[in-house]
Amino acid sequence: MTTRSGRTTEKSLAAPSRRQLLRLAGAGLGIALAGALTACGPEEVDANGGMEGPKPGKSGGGSTATPAAGGAPRVLWQQEASVGTLGNQEVLAVVGDVVLVTGDPLVGRDIATGKQLWSRKGVATPGARLIMGGGTLYLASGEYDGDVVGLDPATGKETWRSRLGGRYDQPRPVGADEDRVYVIAGVMEKDFTSPTNVIAAIDVRTGKAVWSERRDTGTEEYGITSAVLGDRLVYTDHRKNLTVRDTATGRQLWTKKISRSNFDRIAVHEGLVYVSDSRNLRAYSLEDGGERWSLKTDEFSMFLGPSVIDGILYVADSTHALWAVDAATGKQRWRNTGLLDVSVPVQFVKVGDTLYGATQFDKNGGVQAYDAGTGKLRWTFNDGQREEDQWYVAAAGERLAALHGDRLQALPAV
């Protein structure tokens, strides 16, 4: 599992729109707005600056080859998506040849053609995260009966259901592995209220909770950013805590305060957890919480959420710089500070020697392609919709799945 130079512009500090605030209110997310220009290449563009492609429901066909530097790819296919994110980051996933987008209905599509393979209405609750473990997709039950269900991503059929007996109020998965599903849930009292909540592990063989740890009074059930690595469960919350637990017993190994809530994402890799902590990017040991290294960005800047791919940590900052850092040592590989007029990415995938990034809330953002060795921006794809919705990207062999608003598109990745 796994995923900005000291100058500050007026656009960087602009207040978010009412639409953005409404979206963020659902998940308690923070926001770092990015700025402005989309790179267009020699191919034909439409009036909005996006590349011409098939209309919704159509397939673009053609080559899956990416364009030369400065160009932008044509859409291979495009479909409408019923998205229900509430701002979470795990809204788009590719499992094998199936691309999934959280929403109601929950739909699985063929990544090669965009053809709908299956559709299930009422199985994904609002804001559901696509939590995968052992080849199964885990979701809170859409029946609001206190269960967690497991679906086969290839068919959408229910293959597993927990047996919690009404002990918890709407448990929500925050992580999974081959043996267990980890959930945050309210504790159901006799008066049917749930003033406190727990973090618990459900055994996938029995469907029953094997451990349950009550969280501190006042801790919220939402705004959890989490990851599982081996026998460690890592998460942050809106009270600015970074916490690590043993997945076998639920025992809290350590917890520490960070200077701000981590609204974006955390990354884990080879015994370390990486956290963007305001101006600092920090790596902590999963075993003891000791700080292994830290990196500081420029004054009046802050790091966004990090991602680790093939041992390299990629992260942008709020002054529009993009960093590549050795995940083990914190040594800088490269830093692109020439993106002042470009929306910087907040989510990353890598295919071959190309790093792909998806930008946050910016009508001129999109999916970007960078040279993974140097950090040079090759091209930006924008669908021309001028919608201030976050972009999401997932890698699928020779294709990328890209989500923007209610549009799911496939782009070439080789």
Side-chain angles (χ1 to χ4, degrees):
M1 294 184 61
T2 154
T3 272
R4 300 182 186 187
S5 92
R7 298 174 60 189
T8 303
T9 67
E10 181 176 335
K11 177 167 282 192
S12 300
L13 299 177
S17 68
R18 181 176 181 273
R19 179 176 182 178
Q20 294 168 18
L21 290 172
L22 288 173
R23 180 186 298 108
L24 295 175
L29 294 179
I31 183 171
L33 291 180
L37 298 182
T38 299
C40 293
E43 298 186 55
E44 181 183 1
V45 297
D46 64 23
N48 292 318
M51 304 309 298
E52 287 280 7
K55 301 302 180 184
K58 302 295 184 180
S59 172
S63 172
T64 59
T66 58
R74 292 185 178 275
V75 177
L76 301 175
W77 56 258
Q78 177 178 292
Q79 297 286 350
E80 292 183 356
S82 177
V83 184
T85 69
L86 292 183
N88 83 67
Q89 297 290 339
E90 291 155 303
V91 57
L92 174 68
V94 176
V95 185
D97 296 326
V98 181
V99 57
L100 306 170
V101 177
T102 187
D104 190 17
L106 180 66
V107 176
R109 294 188 181 277
D110 186 297
I111 186 60
T113 65
K115 178 182 178 181
Q116 179 177 298
L117 301 175
W118 56 265
S119 177
R120 293 284 307 277
K121 191 169 180 59
V123 298
T125 59
R129 297 167 60 184
L130 297 177
I131 300 293
M132 295 295 305
T136 299
L137 171 64
Y138 293 101
L139 299 166
S141 172
E143 299 172 3
Y144 295 91
D145 53 8
D147 275 348
V148 176
V149 299
L151 304 181
D152 179 352
T155 64
K157 294 181 179 179
E158 183 177 316
T159 58
W160 181 89
R161 180 174 284 265
S162 64
R163 301 175 182 176
L164 300 176
R167 292 176 54 194
Y168 301 126
D169 178 32
Q170 196 56 23
R172 288 175 304 284
V174 296
D177 53 36
E178 291 188 354
D179 301 314
R180 291 171 181 173
V181 186
Y182 307 96
V183 301
I184 297 287
V187 179
M188 187 70 74
E189 304 293 347
K190 291 182 179 180
D191 62 357
F192 299 105
T193 63
S194 51
T196 59
N197 65 85
V198 297
I199 187 163
I202 304 171
D203 188 289
V204 299
R205 289 172 292 273
T206 66
K208 298 180 179 179
V210 292
W211 56 257
S212 175
E213 296 290 332
R214 190 177 293 256
R215 302 175 70 217
D216 293 341
T217 301
T219 30
E220 299 173 356
E221 298 176 52
Y222 296 90
I224 303 295
T225 303
S226 54
V228 178
L229 180 66
D231 57 358
R232 298 292 179 259
L233 171 64
V234 192
Y235 57 96
T236 65
D237 58 44
H238 281 179
R239 298 189 74 183
K240 304 180 183 179
N241 299 306
L242 173 64
T243 303
V244 175
R245 293 183 181 272
D246 184 292
T247 58
T249 65
R251 181 172 64 93
Q252 181 174 295
L253 301 178
W254 56 267
T255 187
K256 61 177 62 210
K257 291 289 184 180
I258 54 178
S259 63
R260 71 178 185 95
S261 300
N262 188 283
F263 295 116
D264 300 306
R265 65 181 69 240
I266 57 177
V268 291
H269 177 71
E270 293 190 349
L272 297 177
V273 53
Y274 308 91
V275 179
S276 295
D277 187 12
S278 192
R279 284 187 63 194
N280 298 287
L281 182 65
R282 305 185 189 277
Y284 296 106
S285 167
L286 286 174
E287 293 306 310
D288 58 19
E291 186 176 288
R292 294 297 181 259
W293 58 259
S294 67
L295 192 64
K296 183 170 286 189
T297 189
D298 300 319
E299 190 176 7
F300 308 119
S301 179
M302 57 188 287
F303 281 110
L304 304 184
S307 297
V308 177
I309 306 172
D310 297 334
I312 304 298
L313 187 149
Y314 300 101
V315 63
D317 67 34
S318 59
T319 51
H320 291 218
L322 180 61
W323 303 62
V325 177
D326 186 287
T329 66
K331 182 178 180 180
Q332 180 181 311
R333 293 291 188 92
W334 51 256
R335 182 186 183 194
N336 186 342
T337 59
L339 303 173
L340 188 61
D341 294 324
V342 178
S343 300
V344 288
V346 293
Q347 183 213 345
F348 303 91
V349 296
K350 184 171 176 282
V351 180
D353 64 354
T354 302
L355 176 71
Y356 296 97
T359 68
Q360 208 168 30
F361 306 101
D362 188 342
K363 63 185 179 182
N364 294 311
V367 174
Q368 300 168 330
Y370 292 86
D371 185 308
T374 65
K376 182 179 180 181
L377 178 61
R378 291 176 171 171
W379 49 257
T380 298
F381 168 83
N382 184 289
D383 59 14
Q385 295 304 297
R386 317 297 287 178
E387 292 288 340
E388 294 183 1
D389 289 303
Q390 181 163 338
W391 286 79
Y392 303 87
V393 65
E398 298 182 349
R399 291 172 172 80
L400 299 174
L403 178 67
H404 182 224
D406 59 359
R407 294 158 66 93
L408 176 63
Q409 300 162 97
L411 304 176
V414 293

